[in-house]
Amino acid sequence: EPIGLVLGAGALMELMAEHHYEELEGGLLEAVGRLFKTDLAMYVYPMKDRDSGQLLTAANLPVVEGIRDLYAFIHSRGRITDIENYDASLLDIFSPDVLAMIRRGDAGWEELVPEKAAVLIRERRLFGLPG
């Protein structure tokens, strides 16, 4: 049965970073093979590049040269697909910033996450939320 994984463009860039797979004999190639040996599809939510303001998607993701062809192959097979119906007003929210706000106990983080998520985070003191 197919498996769908939804992730942001930033998370996909991090997932494709070779240094995460140095302990595998086949490195990133082995990791990608393991990941896609099942009927997995990745659906990518775009992000706005902080420096350029460019919209980064699965189609234009800046992938390092050594794996560009591998990424292009996976993308061309439809295993990595853009989410097209996204909320552009959310593109200025960066999860690492929200996580840092939660850990510091800064006010305002609740406005940056869905209400149900904020309730769970507060109730369960998730992500290092100060008590």
Side-chain angles (χ1 to χ4, degrees), residues 50-91:
R50 285 187 186 217
D51 298 326
S52 69
Q54 177 188 10
L55 188 66
L56 299 178
T57 67
N60 71 355
L61 198 70
V63 180
V64 295
E65 178 143 355
I67 61 167
R68 210 168 276 153
D69 290 340
L70 173 62
Y71 180 83
F73 173 76
I74 297 166
H75 184 260
S76 71
R77 305 281 288 195
R79 303 299 289 274
I80 300 176
T81 307
D82 284 309
I83 293 175
E84 295 179 11
N85 186 18
Y86 62 90
D87 185 344
S89 70
L90 301 176
L91 295 179

Side-chain angles (χ1 to χ4, degrees), residues 106-115 118 122:
D106 291 353
W109 66 265
E110 296 95 339
E111 304 303 316
L112 302 174
V113 301
E115 184 179 339
R122 281 193 305 272

Side-chain angles (χ1 to χ4, degrees), residues 42-56:
M42 291 185 179
Y43 300 96
V44 181
Y45 203 89
M47 71 176 273
K48 192 184 298 184
D49 183 274
R50 285 187 186 217
D51 298 326
S52 69
Q54 177 188 10
L55 188 66
L56 299 178

